[in-house]
Amino acid sequence: MTFTEEYPYQPPTFRFLLPIYHPNIYPDGKLCISILHNPGDDITSGEQASERWSPLQGVESVLRSVLLLLDDPEINSPANVDASVCYRDDRPTYDKRAKETVEKSKGDIPSDFVMPTTLEPPPPPKSTDDDAEFWAESEDELDFGGSDTDDMADFDDDAEDDSDDDKN
């Protein structure tokens, strides 16, 4: 997905880097979907402004629309006519080509990738630090200048003198 300087007033562009045989994907990987068309009514295509891009759209709505379109192609206004005809007339062949594309794309997945199975964010990674060492007492005796210093005795004597003055 690529965003121009006019975003969010103009839609981003969306292109698949690997070839995908799909009625709504051009051979160069560009996606043909109403939500990514410039705002406003289009008399030629018959698309209403409500079906096209608006600044209220965001990345999430675009990705959801792409996923829906991949699952349920719009074969009446195809970007790839051959894929559209195959989808309509020879579904087993279309499904076979789609599965081949999926298998080919799996080679690009990093070996340590874990497919998410929920929309919940994963828990933060556990620390490898040993907390027990943090709580262990230090062998060095440090004086941070707290109330346990010898100066407290002088302070206590002054406090008693001040209280005697208040009584007079």
Side-chain angles (χ1 to χ4, degrees), residues 2-13:
T2 305
F3 299 87
T4 66
E5 290 183 15
E6 291 87 28
Y7 179 83
Y9 302 106
Q10 294 296 317
T13 58

Side-chain angles (χ1 to χ4, degrees), residues 10 25 33 52 62 73 85-86 135 145 158:
Q10 294 296 317
I25 300 173
I33 187 171
R52 297 166 67 92
V62 170
V85 170
C86 188
W135 296 107
D158 291 342

Side-chain angles (χ1 to χ4, degrees), residues 19-23 25 80 82-84 86-87 93-94 97-98 101:
I20 296 179
Y21 187 71
H22 188 277
I25 300 173
N80 184 332
D82 292 338
S84 180
C86 188
Y87 183 87
T93 301
Y94 177 85
R97 286 195 68 177
T101 301

Side-chain angles (χ1 to χ4, degrees), residues 55-109:
L56 298 175
Q57 304 290 353
V59 173
E60 184 177 345
S61 62
V62 170
L63 293 177
R64 286 179 187 264
S65 297
V66 170
L67 291 173
L68 289 170
L69 186 67
L70 290 174
D71 189 46
D72 187 21
E74 176 55 59
I75 61 172
N76 294 325
S77 60
N80 184 332
V81 176
D82 292 338
S84 180
V85 170
C86 188
Y87 183 87
R88 183 189 67 208
D89 297 343
D90 189 2
R91 194 63 180 273
T93 301
Y94 177 85
D95 289 344
K96 181 181 176 209
R97 286 195 68 177
K99 286 178 185 177
E100 289 170 355
T101 301
V102 169
E103 289 305 314
K104 185 177 179 182
S105 71
K106 285 182 180 179
D108 293 334
I109 299 173

Side-chain angles (χ1 to χ4, degrees), residues 37 40-48 51-52 76-77:
H37 293 164
D41 292 326
D42 183 5
I43 301 168
T44 307
S45 71
E47 292 174 341
Q48 297 175 350
E51 300 171 300
R52 297 166 67 92
N76 294 325
S77 60

